[in-house]
Amino acid sequence: MKISQEKKLINLENKYGAHNYLPLEVVIKKGRGIWVWDINNKKYMDFLAAYSALNQGHCHPRLIRAIIKQAKQLTLTSRAFYNNLLPQLCEQLCKLSGFEKALLMNSGAEAVETAIKAARKWGYLKKGIAQNKAEIIVAKNNFHGRTTTIISCSSDKQYRFGFGPYTKGFKIVNYNDIEVIKKAINKNTAAILLEPIQGEAGVIIPKKNYLKKVKALCEKNNVLLILDEIQSSFGRTGKMFCYEWSNIKPDGLIIGKALSGGMYPISAFLSSKKVMDVFKPGDHGSTYGGNPLACAIALEAIKIIKDEKLVKKANQLGKYALKFLQKIKNPLIYEIRGVGLWLAIELNKPLARHYCEKLMSEGILCKEAHQNIIRLAPPLIIKKKELQLALKKVNKIFMI
Ligand SMILES: *Cc1c(COP(=O)(O)O)cnc(C)c1O
């Protein structure tokens, strides 16, 4: 029997690659905007957008120009020397967010690690916590990344199993419950680390005043509120940063993913001077962190979000999509929720993968969160017509 080129490539990866993912059986070779093409030239709409790294769409022409131009000029100095773009990106990030300081890293997990280190050191130097006693409160069902320290604060058995011993100093409390945070805070609490909306948990949206109350508790107890907005920022929820919905300002912010519009790994931790100044030369670093290629791309990626008004667009189209989806009637659907272009269809049964495969055969790529939640998060550059087309297909697969 002749096996397809697609199957050959999948087998090749299965043979030589680590099996740490279980991808949908599509082999993509090209992407433009909201569209991707598989190796048979079948066209799909990308409704995952690389977990919100592609808010600006695939291969945005301005990002292609930026990466080529900078690649010809200078790509890496390391932080042993200054480069001409890092200062500009730090300024841009601070002006955009209202924070005073930025520290650039590469992957999201590294920026989370940076935040954890900053919070702990701040706890020792500024709050007076006894050495090695600092605690960070996190939420159940969080997702902050995959390093050994970060999985130590996870409540997910699979993320943790087999990877111990774990890093101490984390307290896990229920999400969206202010009372459990009140109880968990003590004199050793340095920070509370939360996602303003839990992405990997399945777009879990907390009560309206949750973050405001958490912030008030933090202020009362001299605790830092650090938000992981790696997935929720840069317009995804219809605000530049998701926390803006809560009328608060956190003490630290972690960003990544769409910061480069899918063009390059870049992440950052943003904070006040009083927190960031705990880092002294030699305390922390990364060879590629803040490299000029990454900075050139990030500067352009931020400009695209502003110039194309993607924040406003996500807000308007998101409202439209949510209304549309909430009209779908199927007893299998438990709940449909969303903020901006970050939507989830939660099922009563563990059939999310099955429905993602159905959507794939309709030309829409998305990925389940857990076994019962379908997450819809297209690039924010999507046009209303394209969104309507996709929503019709979602409707179709749920027709009985
Ligand atoms: C993706 C993600 C991370 C991890 O980012 P990586 O770049 O994969 O290390 C951390 N936190 C949140 C909320 C994320 O969505």
Side-chain angles (χ1 to χ4, degrees), residues 108-109 112 138-139 142-146 150 153 193-195 228 230:
V112 173
V138 297
N142 69 67
F143 183 80
H144 298 298
R146 300 291 201 159
I150 295 171
C153 78
L193 168 62
L194 295 171
E195 298 157 86
D228 178 347
I230 291 171

Side-chain angles (χ1 to χ4, degrees), residues 117-137:
K117 286 171 82 172
R120 285 179 171 179
K121 198 160 183 199
W122 173 86
Y124 300 129
L125 296 186
K126 305 280 169 88
K127 182 167 172 170
I129 297 172
Q131 276 304 309
N132 298 324
K133 295 286 181 210
E135 290 177 3
I136 294 174
I137 298 171

Side-chain angles (χ1 to χ4, degrees), residues 30 83 91 151 163 238 343 348 365 394:
K30 181 179 153 178
N83 73 62
E91 183 191 30
I151 59 154
F163 302 126
L343 303 142
N348 294 314
L365 295 181
V394 176

